Amino acid sequence: ICDVRLGETTASRELARQGMAWANRARASFLRDQGVADAEREARAAGRGLWSDSGAVAPWQWRREVWSKACPG
């Protein structure tokens, strides 16, 4: 929706860098800032935030699982 500047970076990059968010790769147009994906890779490699827990489930995966249970068939 928007990019919130935080000095030399953005809120999206910082959240991903801390391991608090996924880079949205659902569609190419959703990932407007490649720096977010780079920050996510850094967090994964360092085992920060979401990546410190092997049980973390991506939001789109969680929604798919919940919706399939709510609307079987």
Side-chain angles (χ1 to χ4, degrees), residues 3-63:
D3 293 321
V4 177
R5 299 291 310 165
L6 296 174
E8 297 296 316
T9 191
T10 65
S12 297
R13 284 184 188 183
E14 188 58 23
L15 286 168
R17 189 189 70 73
Q18 291 182 24
M20 300 300 186
W22 276 266
N24 190 343
R25 297 177 180 87
R27 292 187 186 140
S29 62
F30 290 174
L31 186 59
R32 297 185 322 252
D33 180 358
Q34 185 59 43
V36 176
D38 296 340
E40 179 193 295
R41 276 190 289 279
E42 176 189 325
R44 283 180 185 246
R48 286 192 296 266
L50 295 162
W51 318 118
S52 66
D53 178 8
S54 62
V57 178
W60 51 90
Q61 190 176 5
W62 180 85
R63 283 190 299 270

